[in-house]
């Protein structure tokens, strides 16, 4: 019995993989994601949050309870922005992850990439907030 590759999935099925539709969709998703993450729709609310809250973060090694509260609020804000965008564009979460891991991610500047990383990594978040506090002072 011949195998039929699943359309739009990178690995197809047991037989020959069918990557063309998936690659094309990822290319569109990549351009959309990069465009969004460079746009004011992303940067304004994220930077406003960072600027309003970085004052709490100092260069001491001790992590204050306040940091956790602010980190949780940051995560909620970033997740809401990303989920809204991805839903509007019809981009699946796994496609977003692929974009962030692809060569297209190189088009994102380091600061934007660190904003996304800071959602999952408290120490990255703290480092970003301390750095911004120092820049503003």
């Amino acid at each position: 019995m011949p195998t039929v590759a699943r359309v739009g999935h990178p690995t197809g099925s047991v037989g020959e993989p069918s990557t063309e539709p998936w690659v094309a969709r990822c290319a569109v998703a990549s351009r959309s994601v990069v465009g969004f993450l460079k746009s004011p729709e992303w940067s304004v609310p994220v930077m406003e949050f960072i600027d309003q809250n970085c004052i709490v973060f100092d260069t001491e090694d001790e992590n204050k309870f306040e940091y956790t509260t602010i980190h949780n609020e940051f995560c909620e804000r970033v997740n809401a922005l990303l989920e809204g965008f991805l839903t509007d564009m019809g981009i699946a979460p796994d496609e977003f992850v692929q974009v962030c891991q692809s060569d297209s991610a190189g088009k994102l500047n380091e600061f934007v990439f660190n904003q996304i990383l800071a959602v999952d990594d408290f120490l990255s978040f703290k480092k970003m907030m301390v750095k911004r506090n120092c820049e503003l002072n």
Side-chain angles (χ1 to χ4, degrees):
M1 178 179 210
T3 58
V4 179
R6 292 177 285 164
V7 176
H9 193 275
T11 59
S13 67
V14 178
E16 292 288 318
S18 173
T19 58
E20 287 184 31
W22 182 261
V23 170
R25 178 144 171 79
C26 283
V28 170
S30 175
R31 285 190 300 273
S32 298
V33 168
V34 169
F36 173 69
L37 293 174
K38 289 183 172 184
S39 77
E41 294 172 37
W42 169 266
S43 61
V44 170
V46 171
M47 285 309 300
E48 282 179 353
F49 182 90
I50 292 170
D51 287 349
Q52 290 170 357
N53 291 283
C54 70
I55 190 92
V56 175
F57 292 79
D58 53 40
T59 56
E60 294 178 21
D61 287 338
E62 181 184 342
N63 291 324
K64 300 173 184 169
F65 182 72
E66 259 182 308
Y67 295 178
T68 304
T69 303
I70 294 170
H71 181 242
N72 290 337
E73 291 172 15
F74 179 78
C75 292
E76 289 173 14
R77 179 159 306 181
V78 166
N79 284 333
L81 286 169
L82 286 174
E83 286 173 8
F85 167 74
L86 295 175
T87 299
D88 289 348
M89 296 302 295
I91 299 172
D94 61 327
E95 290 174 306
F96 176 73
V97 170
Q98 276 198 321
V99 167
C100 290
Q101 294 172 341
S102 73
D103 293 336
S104 301
K107 296 177 184 175
L108 298 175
N109 68 38
E110 183 180 347
F111 189 70
V112 172
F113 190 75
N114 285 337
Q115 292 169 353
I116 296 169
L117 178 64
V119 171
D120 286 332
D121 183 8
F122 173 78
L123 293 178
S124 294
F125 172 76
K126 179 183 174 188
K127 181 180 175 182
M128 175 182 70
M129 296 298 274
V130 169
K131 180 180 178 189
R132 184 63 179 161
N133 188 15
C134 290
E135 290 171 353
L136 293 177
N137 288 326

